[in-house]
Amino acid sequence: MAKRRVEMMEETRAKLVAAARKAFAEKGYAASMDELTAEAGLTRGELCHNFGDKRGLLAAVVNQVDAEMASRAQEIGGRAENAWEGLPTEGTAYIEMALDPEVQRIVLLDGPAVLGDPSQWPSQSNCLQATKQTVQQLITQGILKPVDAEAAARLLNGAALNAALWIAASEDPKDVLPKAAQAFRYLATGLLAN
């Protein structure tokens, strides 16, 4: 009986997140919670029980989308010809996702406006740890200069995030993207040992 209840709660949360993701992508944070819950076939009480409020629901959606972005960027970086090339390729892939309208609105515009500093989000913490591991491996292999791995990872992640935020907020994101991507690659290259 308890297992079924947990499954039902997870199903309710998933429905709410899916409906909110669609609504936030289309209408932004101004989306009506009554419409959202009705579309999901749920009640406002279920929303409050599961997420506390609209802000909590946005945090869950941002976490989901940002985690998907990180996963896609890691996958793209993993296809690079070597571990070093994977590092700037992954960061550039993250930056390029700023052109996706869903990512722009939910993660890069509404997320920071409502939830505050993105570097404090759990999903960004996970990205930081993954980047730190990669940087540490590259330092150990002598590919990167012997810098503090956490400092380098924080600067690389911060640069990629801020580039994505710049692109999303710009009047011409497609014009800004190549400039941001090139500068990011030059920044990362500065860490090379040779």
Side-chain angles (χ1 to χ4, degrees):
M1 203 53 118
K3 184 178 180 183
R4 178 67 186 136
R5 183 168 180 213
V6 169
E7 289 171 358
M8 288 176 63
M9 286 175 61
E10 288 173 3
E11 186 178 309
T12 297
R13 287 180 65 83
K15 281 182 183 178
L16 284 165
V17 168
R21 184 171 176 164
K22 182 175 184 253
F24 291 149
E26 291 173 2
K27 299 176 183 171
Y29 189 65
S32 162
M33 290 300 94
D34 290 330
E35 289 176 19
L36 182 150
T37 53
E39 185 173 315
L42 300 166
T43 66
R44 206 173 169 105
E46 287 169 306
L47 181 147
C48 291
H49 175 74
N50 283 280
F51 297 101
D53 57 12
K54 185 177 181 180
R55 187 178 186 278
L57 183 56
L58 177 65
V61 172
V62 164
N63 191 53
Q64 182 183 71
V65 176
D66 200 30
E68 289 171 8
M69 290 171 66
S71 179
R72 277 196 316 243
Q74 288 171 355
E75 180 186 323
I76 291 166
R79 289 188 233 137
E81 60 188 65
N82 58 53
W84 152 249
E85 194 53 46
L87 185 67
T89 299
E90 183 178 321
T92 302
Y94 187 90
I95 293 167
E96 289 171 350
M97 288 179 223
L99 293 181
D100 180 312
E102 179 187 53
V103 167
Q104 273 186 13
R105 184 166 230 168
I106 294 173
V107 176
L108 301 172
L109 297 173
D110 288 347
V114 176
L115 303 174
D117 181 6
S119 70
Q120 302 301 312
W121 298 348
S123 54
Q124 287 293 316
S125 246
N126 295 337
C127 287
L128 175 64
Q129 292 312 310
T131 303
K132 182 180 170 184
Q133 286 178 339
T134 301
V135 167
Q136 186 59 61
Q137 289 169 351
L138 293 170
I139 290 169
T140 301
Q141 294 168 5
I143 295 169
L144 296 184
K145 294 173 183 164
V147 298
D148 182 86
E150 182 172 353
R154 285 184 179 278
L155 292 173
L156 288 168
N157 279 26
L161 174 61
N162 278 297
L165 290 167
W166 176 35
I167 291 164
S170 73
E171 298 216 0
D172 189 354
K174 288 182 180 177
D175 180 57
V176 172
L177 174 63
K179 298 171 192 175
Q182 180 185 45
F184 177 80
R185 185 163 281 280
Y186 287 156
L187 178 79
T189 303
L191 293 170
L192 283 172
N194 299 334

